[in-house]
Amino acid sequence: GAGVSQSPSNKVTEKGKDVELRCDPISGHTALYWYRQRLGQGLEFLIYFQGNSAPDKSGLPSDRFSAERTGESVSTLTIQRTQQEDSAVYLCASRKTRSSTDTQYFGPGTRLTVL
Amino acid sequence: AQSVAQPEDQVNVAEGNPLTVKCTYSVSGNPYLFWYVQYPNRGLQFLLKYITGDNLVKGSYGFEAEFNKSQTSFHLKKPSALVSDSALYFCAVRDDDKIIFGKGTRLHILP
């Protein structure tokens, strides 16, 4: 596809369950980002992948959050033992190179609701 | 660390009037600044960016932003607002390889 895609678009889960969110970046984009957007809030950086380098995990809020990316392809964000405060829209973005002058392209997001 | 501040949670403008959405920045070194827009139930879309060069940057949908180094500001502007401009607007700044976003300003264009 032409843009960043994310799945599922909506996820409702029960407190304590694990969830896995998927991001398909634009083909050829080496940089991939995950952000969290709580209701009425701005974007909170979570994690950044650049090629085969070690990811920048500085934004992950707790050890319940983890993410993987194989090469320059799909990424999955996993939240273990979900809590109600994890409810948010999780946005993925990709960028062609590591240069910050390149534009980040965002996916439509996954809306996570933890009951 | 680099940061941006958007002092207004919400801005209301009558259709046809000029609009301004404010952003100030705090950086060490040269600032790389961005504006993104988020329409309801849609992902963020890039509007424009300032890297270097002219202080007035033109972007998508008739928007422009003015980089002001002395005031450390990067306000988003449009000469004549449309109802369809109603959305959530984010100012952002480069922080190494990451982009850090402001909390957003909700723009309401009143018919």
Side-chain angles (χ1 to χ4, degrees), chain A residues 33 35 37 41-43 45 48 56 58 91 95 98 100-104 106-108 111, chain B residues 32 34 36 38 41-44 46 49 51 88 90 94 96-103:
Chain A
Y33 300 79
Y35 293 88
Q37 185 179 23
Q41 303 293 315
L43 272 70
F45 166 76
Y48 158 55
D56 178 348
S58 60
L91 293 165
R95 193 170 70 196
R98 71 178 305 150
S100 297
T101 61
D102 282 345
T103 300
Q104 274 187 329
F106 282 81
R111 183 175 298 278
Chain B
Y32 289 4
F34 308 82
Y36 281 78
Q38 186 176 37
N41 300 315
R42 292 166 62 178
L44 271 73
F46 170 78
K49 63 185 176 185
I51 305 300
L88 187 57
F90 290 96
R94 179 191 72 164
D96 292 330
D97 289 340
K98 301 190 295 288
I99 294 180
I100 305 300
F101 288 81
K103 64 177 177 60

Side-chain angles (χ1 to χ4, degrees), chain B:
Chain B
Q2 323 290 49
S3 66
V4 289
Q6 295 181 245
E8 303 155 316
D9 290 336
Q10 182 168 308
V11 172
N12 297 324
V13 177
E15 186 178 23
N17 283 1
L19 69 86
T20 298
V21 183
K22 295 179 180 178
C23 173
T24 58
Y25 64 88
S26 174
V27 303
S28 55
N30 295 322
Y32 289 4
L33 297 160
F34 308 82
W35 276 100
Y36 281 78
V37 59
Q38 186 176 37
Y39 297 104
N41 300 315
R42 292 166 62 178
L44 271 73
Q45 296 180 29
F46 170 78
L47 277 180
L48 51 81
K49 63 185 176 185
Y50 172 82
I51 305 300
T52 186
D54 290 342
N55 290 341
L56 186 64
V57 180
K58 293 188 182 295
S60 306
Y61 311 121
F63 284 92
E64 58 189 27
E66 185 172 9
F67 173 70
N68 188 315
K69 188 173 183 178
S70 63
Q71 298 184 4
T72 61
S73 67
F74 189 57
H75 300 333
L76 182 70
K77 300 181 179 182
K78 188 173 182 179
S80 179
L82 300 173
V83 172
S84 57
D85 292 330
S86 297
L88 187 57
Y89 290 80
F90 290 96
C91 181
V93 64
R94 179 191 72 164
D95 185 358
D96 292 330
D97 289 340
K98 301 190 295 288
I99 294 180
I100 305 300
F101 288 81
K103 64 177 177 60
T105 298
R106 189 163 296 280
L107 178 64
H108 288 285
I109 307 301
L110 308 172

